[in-house]
Amino acid sequence: MMRRLLLALWARPFWLLWLPPAFWAGNLVLGRALGAVFPPVSLAVGRWVVALVVLAPFVWRQAWRERELLAKHRVLIAACGAFGIAGYNALGYLALQTVPAASVAFLNSTLPLMVPLAAVALGVERITGRTLFGIGISFGGVAWIVARGDMASLAALRFDGGELLVLLAVANYALYSVLLRRKPAAISPLVFLAATMATGLLVLMPFWALELARGAHIPTDPASVGAVLYIGVFASLIAFILWNRCVATLGATVTGVSFHLVALFTALLAFLVLGEPVRAFHVAGIALILLGFFVATLPTAGRVGTPSNPSRP
């Protein structure tokens, strides 16, 4: 029964769109909580080591059979590893040490705006007017929550070095999402993911060595280890598998719209775990986020389960 349910969900990637944002909301909450005690590059390395260790036993034989294909497309794999695995995560954790929560929510939600720009720039997809309209509605909901129902208060937000790191991290992930559309069909999705993880870890190694040389301490208490295990398995391995599936079938632009849901799930987690109150502006903002999400993605729901044309999101 469970296997049948999982196969049914896999064949309908529109419904999978909800899961990566939920896992990443947990990662965001944990990243903030660990920001004061866990060095950022070490946390990024830890999550991908966990993910690769869990994935490797399932793919290493297939990866050996596809080694020539992997070598042939090493530039694409290296780019995906550098942007999606190393750049986005290390920069994001570094920013979480100083950036206020409101600014993080606002800036992370620029991903659905950056993905279409990257897709057009790389000649991967065209953007429909309906998708752009949905992105705008959803982004307005995020802005309304950040502004706490008073849009004039957005002018008081300060953008310094930390905020620029968030923007740079999001730009890295936008490029990664678009580059995924160029993955050769002959390479197994899990093999490709494992290869990008390994490449991303290689990119992180010099920065990790520098962090350790400067005296960084890696916490080993049960709470920190449990957090890294969650981030490695759910927010890294499972979320990336599902995200890659959605990009391959629905397109980078439509999949990118779902990133607005991170703000929604983060608000829900804050309410359930931290007891933060839900106010009227939260409800209004969440309604706009969901409305924009459905406006941008519902036209794709009828085509789920079949690969989309790279030129049409």
Side-chain angles (χ1 to χ4, degrees):
M1 177 65 72
M2 180 59 68
R3 176 181 173 81
R4 187 176 300 174
L5 176 61
L6 292 175
L7 289 175
L9 284 173
W10 188 258
R12 295 169 175 80
F14 173 76
W15 297 108
L16 297 178
L17 281 174
W18 298 78
L19 296 178
F23 294 142
W24 288 329
N27 171 58
L28 184 60
V29 171
L30 289 173
R32 290 173 184 167
L34 295 173
V37 296
F38 216 119
V41 180
S42 297
L43 184 55
V45 169
R47 72 179 286 181
W48 292 115
V49 167
V50 169
L52 189 57
V53 167
V54 172
L55 180 59
F58 300 99
V59 302
W60 72 269
R61 289 189 179 87
Q62 185 68 20
W64 178 254
R65 289 192 288 268
E66 297 179 5
R67 62 188 183 279
E68 293 183 2
L69 278 171
L70 293 173
K72 181 180 179 181
H73 298 283
R74 59 186 178 276
V75 174
L76 175 63
I77 292 170
C80 288
F83 291 123
I85 303 300
Y88 173 71
N89 294 279
L91 291 170
Y93 289 136
L94 182 60
L96 279 170
Q97 294 184 324
T98 58
V99 179
S103 295
V104 171
F106 182 73
L107 293 172
N108 265 287
S109 292
T110 61
L111 178 69
L113 305 178
M114 290 190 183
V115 167
L117 295 177
V120 171
L122 296 178
V124 175
E125 296 179 6
R126 291 203 312 268
I127 310 172
T128 66
R130 186 178 186 123
T131 299
L132 278 177
F133 184 56
I135 290 172
I137 294 174
S138 190
F139 188 73
V142 174
W144 190 255
I145 292 175
V146 172
R148 303 178 67 85
D150 179 14
M151 297 301 286
S153 67
L154 289 178
L157 288 177
R158 295 181 57 192
F159 295 90
D160 52 27
E163 280 77 7
L164 293 177
L165 284 177
V166 179
L167 282 175
L168 185 57
V170 175
N172 271 253
Y173 204 77
L175 286 170
Y176 167 77
S177 297
V178 174
L179 287 171
L180 280 177
R181 296 286 283 166
R182 295 187 172 180
K183 184 193 81 67
I187 300 180
S188 164
L190 292 183
V191 168
F192 187 85
L193 179 59
T196 59
M197 287 180 182
T199 304
L201 282 169
L202 288 176
V203 173
L204 287 171
M205 285 300 109
F207 301 99
W208 190 35
L210 180 61
E211 186 176 76
L212 294 177
R214 291 180 172 177
H217 171 70
I218 302 175
T220 56
D221 59 282
S224 297
V225 172
V228 173
L229 289 174
Y230 166 83
I231 295 171
V233 174
F234 290 96
S236 302
L237 179 58
I238 296 177
F240 269 65
I241 289 174
L242 299 180
W243 181 269
N244 292 1
R245 166 66 174 170
C246 292
V247 169
T249 54
L250 304 177
T253 299
V254 170
T255 303
V257 178
S258 69
F259 206 77
H260 283 309
L261 297 175
V262 175
L264 185 154
F265 289 130
T266 300
L268 291 177
L269 278 176
F271 171 71
L272 295 174
V273 178
L274 304 177
E276 294 183 359
V278 175
R279 306 194 185 281
F281 65 83
H282 288 120
V283 176
I286 287 172
L288 286 172
I289 290 171
L290 290 175
L291 176 61
F293 174 73
F294 282 115
V295 167
T297 60
L298 275 182
T300 309
R303 301 196 305 270
V304 295
T306 58
S308 60
N309 187 323
S311 67
R312 298 187 61 178

